[in-house]
Amino acid sequence: MTFTDKLKGLQQSLDQESLLHQMINQIRRSLDLQEILTTTVSQVRLFLDADRVKMYRFDTDGSGEVIAESIHEQRLPSLLGQRFPADDIPQEAREMFLLAQQRSIVDVANGKIGLSPLQSKETGKRLETNIYYRQVDPCHIQYLKAMGVQSSLIIPILDCDPQEQSVKPKLWGLLVSHQREPRKILKRELKVLQQVADQVGIAIAQSNLLTAARTKQEREATINRVTTLLHKLPTIQLQGALEEVITAFNGTGGRLYIEQSQELYTWGDQPTFPYELDNNIIEQHPSWQNWMAEFKQGNIWATSNLYQEPHLRVLALAFRSTQICGLMVIPIHSREKFIGVLSIFRSEFETEILWAGRCEQNRRQLLPQFSFELWREQKKGQSAQWKPQDISLAQALYDHFSMAIQQQHMFKQVQALNANLELRVQEQTYELEKSLLFTKVLKQVTEHIRRTLDLQATLQSIVREVRALLNSDRMVIFELKRKLVIVEEINGNWQSVLGMNPPPDCIPDEYSHLYSQGRVRAINNVSTASLHDCHREFLQSLQVQATLIVPINIGMEVWGLLIAHECEAPRVWQDAEIDLLQQLGDQAAIAIQQAQLYKQTCDAETEARNQAAQLEHTLHQLQETQTKLIHTEKMSGLGQLVAGVAHEINNPVNFIYGNLCHASDYTEQLLEILRLYQLHYPHPHSEIKAAIKAVDFDFLVEDLPKIITSMQVGSDRIRSIVLSLRSFSRLDEAENKRVDLHEGIENTLLILQHRLKGNGEFLPIEVIKDYGNIPPVECYAGQMNQVFMNIISNAIDALEMGIGSKSEKENAQDFGFCARRYAANQYKYSMPTINISTRVSADESRLLIRISDNGSGMTEEVRKRIFDPFYTTKPVGKGTGLGLAISYQIIVEKHGGIMECISEVGKGTEFWIEIPIKPPVKIDR
């Protein structure tokens, strides 16, 4: 492998690492998925030098949309925002994308397709990165030709839920690269792009988690607002709560109908029957009432198009005069009794879909698509689908409306009884106060759940508040999985049951099934109740005479039981007490779910941070290793190259230099003979006269010695340059030895002389040398020369980009014009200058070297990172960001010295170098 091949391979490796590093930084820096995808396609296109790179996302109906795109110089038409039908990608190809994560590479010119599965379809094990080529379907070739593509690369992107490890990943989309010219995709490029696709998958998972968290936050905020309105005393705000709910569901109207009082609350668009009826309220229509009778407690019904529901044919007439299309119905029950209904309306709207070419459904299976010209498809009468989170929110609001309506009903009953039955005022007031107290406790528990994610504290708060409210002797929470009492609150000197397990087989298994269906068991007297003997004896051993048990259900499973014990005497449990305990059981279930979700989120966050930290540590080690390898290879290759060139030039130069003195003597002798001929034969032959006149003999005799002298000066110059190159490379001085660093600085300046002279674009740079009387220094001479070369080259670059550029100095026409402006002190910039100073420290133990320029300087943020590997402020292709990092390692690690950068914007830059004149210990190579 040649040195050039090594540099090329190393540069490709650096490009790959840079692409991954930028991807990871973008994901960490931004939570905006679209911004991440846009950056990804741009970086991938630059990495592959592709004509177009796009991000293709699948929809639920199988079609796809281009959601991010990067095109080079408009070489291919834009497809951003356009959709492609589901039939464009065969089902078997989708399966291979998902099951084997297969990458495909199409070579249109040769009619071949390269397949590279990432994992085995049968076993799921990861495979080596191999590409298998076969003939491609001619239909696919025609499809790509119609798109103007000669080479394509497709990499699948999977969506994995980090919280549900057991759930299989989904095919989220494709990363697609298009070339209008044939191009071969290498294995290492495919490997890097797969890593990019994996990072995109991580970004998608993060975006999904963020969306879920925001949705949950909005849901909780809505519930809080509605709860506040529903439980606002002394007047319950049903109208305000209705408006809040309609807004939360993005509805255009809605209704709340209370069955017992026949009250109707409305807001927004409303249905109206086209004909006159005795009662124009749809909730009182027989068809509507028969429909409501079919609903069970807790059922939610929703449709995006009510006109397609057969059982709503009669009722749909009331909606014809409106734009209402979507309907959600929330029947409200109280202990299985229908008490009202909440309806939410959504209006229809028009949609426009941008297709990549007109869709001919009847011909798509026969012929490929020949045109990808933008086609707009208009759809009218559309309605937004009711999403699972909408149903979940409706179920969460169900209990609050049920309780509010019951409270309102009870409040009205109290008012009616107060007007007619003064004797029952005290009893009804007590019931109302108890109901309000129950509501207050329930609200306190609900707020406590929302305020903290500490499960133990929440459960303890529940049993404490409920025990005091029910005035029971003992309140416990029993976890079925561990068969253990985990929380307890006792009033009095009764026996503690915390941590106690019931006897095996004491409680029948069928009880768990009944509890999962919502069964509540109220035992007024343990002695007379129908219980198994084992169960009765167990309760009596705990001094329990009456008990009330409600399940804590999470989904369809019973997590545990909320149990109230009465130990003093038997007790008749009231319906309100049972209802309160049921609602608190539901709140306990919410608290448990929140705590479990929070724990999962914390675990996922901890794992993600650990992985990020490990990746950052690995990347840092890789950067250090790369820097050292690059430095070693660069120094070795540079020394060999410079020494080889100097050696090859030296031989012919020595030959020319050694023979020029003889040529000069011979020329003088010949000219002397010609002079004697002219002296002794002043009248030459006519032919000789003609020849003398033709060659301008007098000028030739005068100019030939000057030519010989110029050739001698040029050969001397070439010999000095060759000697400088050999001294700079110091290939024969790999070990540290005592050298004169002034010689190294002079050799460096001689090599860079062509850049210091200036040209038609840049002004010449003045070098001011302030050399001190320094002794020879024990160091690695070749590596020190490399440090001088890096620093002085960077100074020249800074001056050329700043005050050394003629284009930035008011577009001066030539250097003479600039010089006149300088001389007149009218020019606002100073002459580009580099200052080099050497001194010996006061204790004569260290050598101080200062190299400064009067360029534009740098900011504090740039100065702090100037020695970081791969960090550069130069344009792309002008620098690798390794020069100063390598120089820092040479001074600090190799020579035990100090290297600092002092810079300020507008005041230039200075590098301060200190190295020991004689190291205290042997320098490790």
Side-chain angles (χ1 to χ4, degrees):
M1 180 183 291
T2 65
F3 176 69
T4 303
D5 293 336
K6 290 181 180 178
L7 286 179
K8 183 178 180 182
L10 184 58
Q11 184 61 43
Q12 292 172 342
S13 176
L14 291 176
D15 293 342
Q16 296 169 7
E17 294 299 331
S18 176
L19 176 62
L20 291 177
H21 185 64
Q22 292 176 7
M23 276 294 302
I24 294 171
N25 284 343
Q26 182 66 22
I27 293 174
R28 291 177 182 170
R29 189 170 55 249
S30 175
L31 291 176
D32 186 347
L33 181 60
Q34 185 61 43
E35 180 182 351
I36 293 173
L37 297 180
T38 302
T39 303
T40 299
V41 296
S42 177
Q43 295 294 334
V44 170
R45 186 189 64 74
L46 293 175
F47 173 71
L48 291 178
D49 192 22
D51 294 323
R52 174 172 59 209
V53 174
K54 64 180 182 178
M55 198 70 68
Y56 183 90
R57 181 184 63 192
F58 289 105
D59 290 335
T60 55
D61 61 355
S63 65
E65 180 183 0
V66 178
I67 62 173
E69 180 184 57
S70 178
I71 303 176
H72 180 55
E73 296 181 353
Q74 304 301 319
R75 293 182 178 178
L76 291 173
S78 174
L79 301 176
L80 185 62
Q82 299 184 25
R83 290 181 177 269
F84 291 77
D87 296 334
D88 280 12
I89 301 179
Q91 184 61 33
E92 56 270 17
R94 297 171 187 251
E95 293 178 358
M96 291 303 295
F97 285 146
L98 177 61
L99 300 178
Q101 298 188 40
Q102 178 167 277
R103 293 75 60 93
S104 66
I105 306 166
V106 179
D107 184 354
V108 175
N110 296 321
K112 292 184 177 182
I113 183 172
L115 303 176
S116 176
L118 185 62
Q119 62 184 25
S120 172
K121 180 180 178 182
E122 294 76 15
T123 65
K125 293 183 178 179
R126 203 169 185 89
L127 304 175
E128 296 292 333
T129 303
N130 292 318
I131 305 175
Y132 307 94
Y133 286 90
R134 63 169 174 80
Q135 292 297 318
V136 67
D137 188 346
C139 181
H140 194 179
I141 294 295
Q142 296 180 25
Y143 185 91
L144 291 176
K145 285 184 177 180
M147 195 180 286
V149 175
Q150 288 294 317
S151 176
S152 72
L153 167 64
I154 299 178
I155 298 178
I157 299 175
L158 304 186
D159 179 13
C160 301
D161 189 350
Q163 296 182 348
E164 297 291 342
Q165 299 297 332
S166 60
V167 178
K168 295 183 179 180
K170 301 177 183 178
L171 181 60
W172 181 87
L174 304 172
L175 176 61
V176 183
S177 171
H178 284 162
Q179 301 277 156
R180 65 175 185 176
E181 300 293 338
R183 187 190 190 282
K184 182 178 180 181
I185 300 297
L186 304 178
K187 290 182 180 179
R188 62 172 176 268
E189 295 175 329
L190 190 61
K191 182 177 180 181
V192 172
L193 293 180
Q194 183 59 53
Q195 293 174 325
V196 171
D198 294 341
Q199 292 298 323
V200 173
I202 294 174
I204 293 170
Q206 290 180 346
S207 177
N208 292 340
L209 287 175
L210 178 62
T211 301
R214 288 176 175 172
T215 301
K216 181 179 178 181
Q217 184 180 12
E218 292 175 359
R219 177 177 178 271
E220 292 297 328
T222 299
I223 294 174
N224 286 337
R225 291 193 298 270
V226 173
T227 302
T228 301
L229 293 171
L230 290 178
H231 300 293
K232 188 176 182 180
L233 297 178
T235 304
I236 298 174
Q237 302 293 326
L238 290 176
Q239 179 66 36
L242 173 65
E243 296 176 8
E244 190 69 44
V245 170
I246 295 173
T247 302
F249 283 104
N250 295 321
T252 57
R255 303 159 69 92
L256 174 62
Y257 177 75
I258 300 176
E259 176 70 18
Q260 190 167 8
S261 63
Q262 295 186 352
E263 292 179 274
L264 177 65
Y265 299 89
T266 63
W267 187 77
D269 296 340
Q270 298 297 319
T272 304
F273 283 105
Y275 43 84
E276 293 295 332
L277 294 175
D278 294 339
N279 195 332
N280 208 26
I281 300 177
I282 62 172
E283 287 82 1
Q284 296 177 356
H285 194 280
S287 298
W288 182 278
Q289 293 181 345
N290 293 335
W291 184 35
M292 290 296 103
E294 300 175 358
F295 282 93
K296 294 183 179 180
Q297 184 174 357
N299 287 358
I300 308 295
W301 184 88
T303 179
S304 61
N305 192 338
L306 62 91
Y307 303 104
Q308 295 179 356
E309 301 296 332
H311 59 280
L312 295 180
R313 285 195 300 269
V314 176
L315 299 175
L317 297 174
F319 295 89
R320 289 291 183 184
S321 60
T322 69
Q323 296 294 320
I324 299 173
C325 185
L327 172 63
M328 175 186 283
V329 177
I330 309 174
I332 303 173
H333 296 79
S334 176
R335 304 193 64 180
E336 299 185 357
K337 179 183 178 182
F338 177 76
I339 61 174
V341 60
L342 176 63
S343 305
I344 310 296
F345 308 139
R346 283 181 177 175
S347 297
E348 64 183 12
F349 57 87
E350 297 182 1
T351 59
E352 181 181 72
I353 303 177
L354 305 180
W355 292 96
R358 186 177 180 87
C359 295
E360 300 290 347
Q361 297 294 339
N362 58 338
R363 300 183 61 193
R364 294 200 63 78
Q365 299 294 339
L366 301 177
L367 295 173
Q369 192 165 336
F370 290 108
S371 173
F372 293 88
E373 184 178 355
L374 179 64
W375 179 59
R376 302 178 184 270
E377 179 184 14
Q378 301 285 341
K379 288 188 176 182
K380 299 183 178 180
Q382 302 296 302
S383 178
Q385 297 290 329
W386 300 98
K387 299 180 180 179
Q389 52 264 38
D390 295 330
I391 305 300
S392 175
L393 178 59
Q395 291 173 340
L397 295 172
Y398 169 87
D399 291 334
H400 295 288
F401 273 95
S402 175
M403 185 183 302
I405 293 173
Q406 280 295 94
Q407 290 176 2
Q408 187 186 52
H409 175 64
M410 292 177 64
F411 185 73
K412 290 182 179 180
Q413 279 186 332
V414 170
Q415 288 180 326
L417 289 173
N418 284 338
N420 300 292
L421 303 173
E422 187 175 349
L423 296 178
R424 298 182 59 188
V425 169
Q426 184 176 1
E427 179 184 353
Q428 292 294 333
T429 303
Y430 171 77
E431 292 296 332
L432 180 60
E433 289 176 351
K434 191 173 182 179
S435 175
L436 294 176
L437 185 59
F438 286 175
T439 302
K440 181 179 180 181
V441 171
L442 180 60
K443 184 177 181 181
Q444 289 176 350
V445 173
T446 303
E447 290 178 350
H448 190 279
I449 291 174
R450 296 195 179 102
R451 197 166 51 241
T452 178
L453 291 173
D454 187 342
L455 178 60
Q456 189 67 22
T458 300
L459 298 181
Q460 190 66 51
S461 174
I462 290 175
V463 296
R464 182 176 59 254
E465 297 291 342
V466 176
R467 193 219 59 76
L469 189 61
L470 296 181
N471 194 24
S472 60
D473 296 324
R474 185 192 294 122
M475 181 67 63
V476 301
I477 293 180
F478 178 77
E479 185 179 348
L480 284 179
K481 183 177 181 180
R482 295 189 289 173
K483 296 186 181 302
L484 187 71
V485 176
I486 61 173
V487 180
E488 176 187 56
E489 180 71 17
I490 300 176
N491 179 32
N493 297 322
W494 304 107
Q495 176 186 349
S496 174
V497 297
L498 186 63
M500 183 175 292
N501 299 96
D505 303 325
C506 183
I507 302 176
D509 294 336
E510 60 265 20
Y511 281 14
S512 298
H513 178 67
L514 295 174
Y515 286 137
S516 66
Q517 295 179 342
R519 176 189 180 183
V520 176
R521 190 164 194 186
I523 302 175
N524 298 330
N525 193 331
V526 172
S527 300
T528 60
S530 176
L531 297 172
H532 289 76
D533 294 338
C534 177
H535 192 190
R536 180 180 289 106
E537 293 174 0
F538 174 66
L539 291 176
Q540 290 176 344
S541 69
L542 303 179
Q543 302 172 307
V544 177
Q545 297 197 43
T547 182
L548 177 59
I549 306 172
V550 299
I552 300 174
N553 292 327
I554 299 179
M556 299 302 294
E557 296 183 359
V558 183
W559 181 88
L561 303 173
L562 180 60
I563 306 172
H565 286 163
E566 193 68 27
C567 302
E568 184 72 29
R571 175 175 177 173
V572 178
W573 301 102
Q574 302 299 319
D575 290 345
E577 296 171 340
I578 297 173
D579 186 57
L580 172 65
L581 209 59
Q582 275 186 301
Q583 295 184 48
L584 288 171
D586 294 338
Q587 294 299 324
I590 294 173
I592 294 168
Q593 285 180 308
Q594 287 182 346
Q596 291 175 346
L597 180 60
Y598 177 71
K599 184 177 182 302
Q600 293 174 357
T601 303
C602 291
D603 293 343
E605 181 181 3
T606 301
E607 183 179 357
R609 286 180 177 175
N610 292 337
Q611 291 178 352
Q614 183 178 3
L615 182 60
E616 185 176 1
H617 177 67
T618 303
L619 182 61
H620 180 69
Q621 289 182 331
L622 180 59
Q623 286 180 336
E624 289 185 350
T625 304
Q626 286 177 331
T627 303
K628 292 179 180 179
L629 290 175
I630 292 170
H631 167 57
T632 303
E633 188 68 22
K634 184 174 181 180
M635 289 299 296
S636 175
L638 179 63
Q640 293 177 1
L641 176 64
V642 172
V645 171
H647 178 72
E648 292 299 327
I649 296 175
N650 193 47
N651 290 335
V653 168
N654 286 339
F655 175 79
I656 295 171
Y657 184 79
N659 286 286
L660 277 175
C661 60
H662 301 296
S664 177
D665 294 340
Y666 298 159
T667 302
E668 291 180 359
Q669 292 173 6
L670 290 175
L671 291 176
E672 179 62 22
I673 293 173
L674 288 175
R675 187 183 63 78
L676 293 175
Y677 266 100
Q678 288 178 331
L679 178 63
H680 296 287
Y681 299 96
H683 302 291
H685 191 270
S686 60
E687 185 176 353
I688 294 175
K689 284 184 177 182
I692 289 173
K693 185 176 181 181
V695 299
D696 195 357
F697 180 74
D698 293 337
F699 174 77
L700 187 148
V701 170
E702 181 183 354
D703 194 51
L704 184 56
K706 296 180 181 179
I707 292 175
I708 297 298
T709 302
S710 298
M711 292 172 66
Q712 287 179 330
V713 173
S715 63
D716 286 338
R717 177 64 175 167
I718 294 173
R719 290 186 73 232
S720 63
I721 292 175
V722 170
L723 290 176
S724 297
L725 288 174
R726 292 184 60 186
S727 298
F728 176 81
S729 65
R730 293 187 179 270
L731 190 62
D732 57 343
E733 298 178 8
E735 296 297 332
N736 59 305
K737 59 185 296 184
R738 289 190 175 275
V739 296
D740 182 5
L741 290 185
H742 286 167
E743 181 182 352
I745 296 174
E746 290 298 327
N747 291 333
T748 303
L749 293 174
L750 182 60
I751 294 172
L752 295 173
Q753 187 63 34
H754 66 288
R755 297 190 62 188
L756 296 171
K757 288 182 178 180
N759 50 40
E761 185 178 357
F762 300 107
L763 295 173
I765 298 173
E766 181 182 1
V767 178
I768 301 175
K769 292 175 283 188
D770 182 15
Y771 291 161
N773 186 16
I774 64 173
V777 179
E778 185 174 340
C779 63
Y780 292 106
Q783 294 185 6
M784 288 300 300
N785 288 345
Q786 182 66 24
V787 172
F788 299 148
M789 176 66 74
N790 289 334
I791 295 177
I792 297 175
S793 295
N794 281 348
I796 295 174
D797 291 339
L799 291 171
E800 288 180 349
M801 290 188 294
I803 64 175
S805 174
K806 285 189 177 184
S807 61
E808 296 186 7
K809 295 176 173 53
E810 303 178 351
N811 296 320
Q813 298 299 318
D814 52 36
F815 176 64
F817 176 79
C818 291
R820 290 192 298 272
R821 295 290 297 272
Y822 277 125
N825 286 327
Q826 296 177 356
Y827 208 80
K828 65 178 178 180
Y829 294 101
S830 59
M831 175 66 74
T833 304
I834 295 176
N835 290 275
I836 303 175
S837 172
T838 60
R839 292 289 187 274
V840 177
S841 64
D843 58 1
E844 298 184 353
S845 63
R846 304 175 71 83
L847 175 63
L848 312 180
I849 304 172
R850 298 168 60 185
I851 302 176
S852 62
D853 63 71
N854 62 341
S856 57
M858 63 186 78
T859 64
E860 181 65 16
E861 180 181 359
V862 173
R863 189 194 67 79
K864 289 181 179 180
R865 299 187 59 192
I866 200 69
F867 296 119
D868 291 348
F870 307 105
Y871 177 77
T872 179
T873 58
K874 298 178 183 178
V876 177
K878 296 293 186 181
T880 63
L882 292 175
L884 292 178
I886 292 172
S887 300
Y888 187 85
Q889 290 181 350
I890 291 173
I891 297 299
V892 177
E893 297 179 12
K894 284 285 192 178
H895 294 85
I898 298 173
M899 184 172 182
E900 295 181 355
C901 176
I902 303 170
S903 183
E904 187 176 347
V905 176
K907 295 185 179 181
T909 301
E910 179 179 340
F911 284 90
W912 178 289
I913 299 173
E914 293 186 19
I915 60 173
I917 295 177
K918 183 176 182 181
V921 294
K922 184 177 180 181
I923 301 175
D924 295 328
R925 189 176 177 185

